[in-house]
Amino acid sequence: MAYAGLAQEYLGVPAVTRAYTTACVLTTAAVQLELLTPFQLYFNPDLIFRKLQVWRLVTNFLFFGPLGFSFFFNMIFLYRYCRMLEEGSFRGRTADFVFMFLFGGFLMTLFGLFASLFFLGQAFTIMLVYVWSRRNPYIRMNFFGLLNFQAPFLPWVLMGFSLLLGNSIIIDLLGIAVGHIYYFLEDVFPNQPGGKKLLLTPSFLKMVFDTPEEDPNYNPLPEDRLENQPRDQDLNQQPPQ
């Protein structure tokens, strides 16, 4: 019974959030069980282009380090804000959400070509947090019961927290920068005088991820209408003798 409830809860998570979070957890579990090593996952342009180890373009976004405080902290934020975006401003727009993933991952990969960054999953999480925070500017946040602030300050608070833990803030700055580029191109620039929408989701993504909308002008054939109508049965009618 508990298993059925857990499975139902898992399947109730939006598709993109469920897929990405599961991939991150399974990748970390594989490393913990020594089925994989971080050396097989990290971002290395030389190995990608010369050895054709193209999986590194994806796996560097899936590994958040060994099990510990940092891993669970990142997983909580990834799951929470990815799900809130998918159920909020991207509700019914799965293809657009996937396109944001691809756009953000592409920009981070470009930056990774010129910097010594091995894993970009944390930057990706910060990007999701940044986009959500800018689209929900009036929500009040509380950080561990110590700080109260408006949602747009959340990425900067997380960056400060990383600094306190002794981590490099380059990853956080990259996530904020990519998140701002997406937010500006998607939400700000199209609403400016002379602006237009530059980020157009490819049609093939819409075909794969979005359910087609029903045509309001569609008029079914008469026989189709008759077949779909419920057939009333006279309960008082006596069967023939």
Side-chain angles (χ1 to χ4, degrees):
M1 196 70 178
Y3 173 78
L6 186 62
Q8 185 177 3
E9 180 68 23
Y10 175 75
L11 294 175
V13 177
V16 178
T17 302
R18 181 172 69 243
Y20 185 41
T21 307
T22 301
C24 293
V25 172
L26 291 180
T27 300
T28 300
V31 172
Q32 288 294 122
L33 296 173
E34 298 184 353
L35 301 175
L36 296 172
T37 70
F39 296 105
Q40 297 173 295
L41 307 174
Y42 77 100
F43 182 76
N44 186 317
D46 185 63
L47 293 177
I48 292 171
F49 295 110
R50 294 189 179 184
K51 301 293 185 179
L52 298 181
Q53 297 182 5
V54 293
W55 64 83
R56 295 177 183 272
L57 292 170
V58 176
T59 56
N60 78 92
F61 288 97
L62 303 180
F63 183 63
F64 287 80
L67 289 178
F69 175 78
S70 179
F71 171 77
F72 289 108
F73 185 82
N74 279 289
M75 283 296 98
I76 289 172
F77 273 82
L78 170 63
Y79 172 79
R80 175 179 173 82
Y81 291 98
C82 189
R83 180 169 186 170
M84 287 197 295
L85 274 176
E86 191 170 2
E87 292 181 335
S89 57
F90 286 98
R91 187 177 186 85
R93 299 167 52 219
T94 303
D96 294 338
F97 195 42
V98 171
F99 183 63
M100 187 190 79
F101 270 56
L102 297 176
F103 178 78
F106 175 74
L107 289 186
M108 292 178 190
T109 300
L110 282 182
F111 185 85
L113 294 175
F114 305 101
S116 298
L117 300 177
F118 302 120
F119 295 101
L120 298 171
Q122 184 178 340
F124 198 86
T125 300
I126 294 294
M127 180 195 74
L128 296 174
V129 171
Y130 184 91
V131 174
W132 177 87
S133 68
R134 294 303 299 266
R135 289 183 171 178
N136 298 272
Y138 303 111
I139 293 182
R140 294 285 297 174
M141 308 293 297
N142 183 281
F143 191 72
F144 290 135
L146 301 175
L147 292 174
N148 293 296
F149 51 88
Q150 299 290 112
F153 291 100
L154 179 58
W156 304 100
V157 171
L158 293 178
M159 186 182 71
F161 186 66
S162 293
L163 189 62
L164 288 176
L165 293 177
N167 300 326
S168 172
I169 62 172
I170 298 297
I171 288 290
D172 298 81
L173 289 173
L174 175 60
I176 290 172
V178 173
H180 183 72
I181 291 172
Y182 178 83
Y183 171 74
F184 178 80
L185 294 177
E186 180 70 13
D187 294 10
V188 178
F189 183 69
N191 297 317
Q192 300 296 314
K196 63 178 181 179
K197 187 174 176 63
L198 298 177
L199 298 179
L200 301 175
T201 303
S203 57
F204 77 90
L205 289 179
K206 292 183 177 291
M207 291 176 59
V208 172
F209 294 103
D210 289 348
T211 54
E213 297 181 358
E214 294 185 2
D215 186 358
N217 298 320
Y218 172 68
N219 188 21
L221 296 173
E223 54 267 28
D224 292 335
R225 290 198 296 266
L226 289 175
E227 288 179 359
N228 293 328
Q229 287 181 353
R231 297 179 179 178
D232 296 332
Q233 191 174 23
D234 189 357
L235 300 179
N236 295 323
Q237 182 179 359
Q238 298 295 328
Q241 300 296 329

